[in-house]
Each structure stands twice: as C-alpha cells, then as structure tokens.
Amino acid sequence: MFVVQYRKIFFALSIILMAISIAAMFYYGFNFGIDFRGGTISQVSYKGERPLQAEVQEDLTKLGF
C-alpha cells in the first residue's frame, strides 16, 4: 500500500531517473566494441622480454598488416 499511496512520487522518481539516463546516453555516447565496429583483434604474446614498438611495427608492415 505504501507504493500505491505515494505513486506520484514514485512516478516522478522514475521519470527523473529515465531522463538522467537518456541525457547520459547523449552526453557520453556509446563505446562500441569490436563486435559492432567490425574488424579483427590481434593478440600477441612474447617469450622473454617484450621487443620495442618500432620493431613490432616493422615486422607487421613486412607481413602486410
């Protein structure tokens, strides 16, 4: 009965929270993952020390990436 008795307050609270959520969607936008943008993710693992970034980029260029 508490919720029914104060339903106008709960409706107002729901509308305020929905408005804040919609405003946040427009303000911050969405961060779409690779599944929505298309493309691929390549993961690389190293044995021992990690090479320099320039070396990795050079090797990837040689491979056509």
Side-chain angles (χ1 to χ4, degrees), residues 14-50:
S14 298
I15 290 170
I16 290 169
L17 289 175
M18 286 181 5
I20 290 171
S21 299
I22 291 170
M25 285 190 305
F26 284 112
Y27 183 74
Y28 293 110
F30 293 104
N31 184 13
F32 292 116
I34 193 73
D35 47 342
F36 288 103
R37 286 186 279 181
T40 58
I41 294 178
S42 298
Q43 294 182 349
V44 180
S45 61
Y46 304 104
K47 294 180 182 176
E49 282 189 40
R50 186 177 77 175

Side-chain angles (χ1 to χ4, degrees), residues 2 36 49-50 53 56-57 60-61 63:
F2 175 76
F36 288 103
E49 282 189 40
R50 186 177 77 175
Q53 183 177 358
V56 174
Q57 287 178 342
L60 288 174
T61 303
L63 292 172

